Amino acid sequence: MPHLSVPALDDHRRYLSETRPELLHRHDHPDLVVAIQDAKNVVQTLDGTRTDADEPTGGFVSRDPGNVHMLTNVGGTTYLARLVELK
């Protein structure tokens, strides 16, 4: 059974039009992102690929590990989510 790791400070907030290139990162384990407040986001990978990521309140996204990326909130709300890594 996978171990769930929920770091205390891992509440992933992004404000309107906020891009934080210093947060270009990767996850070494599969993860599950649960949207606490909806937002319209764009995920950009290291190679420049951009993907729209609309996340409704209560929705979730699961991802495989290893892809270097950053997230920009391009919508009109503050994005708030919880990230759960499966170890």
Side-chain angles (χ1 to χ4, degrees), residues 6-82:
V6 185
L9 298 178
D10 210 1
D11 74 352
H12 287 58
R13 290 177 196 261
R14 294 290 183 279
Y15 301 98
L16 176 61
S17 300
E18 180 181 25
T19 299
R20 296 175 61 187
E22 72 276 12
L23 292 181
L24 193 64
H25 65 285
R26 62 178 265 159
H27 301 274
D28 292 326
H29 303 282
D31 63 46
L32 179 70
V33 179
V34 180
I36 305 300
Q37 180 171 324
D38 68 323
K40 183 177 189 126
N41 298 309
V42 172
V43 177
Q44 184 171 346
T45 59
L46 193 56
D47 68 3
T49 302
R50 294 171 55 95
T51 304
D52 291 334
D54 296 344
E55 297 186 42
T57 299
F60 64 91
V61 178
S62 62
R63 294 184 295 224
D64 292 326
N67 196 10
V68 177
H69 65 281
M70 69 178 172
L71 181 135
T72 301
N73 178 353
V74 296
T77 62
T78 299
Y79 173 57
L80 176 61
R82 294 285 186 214

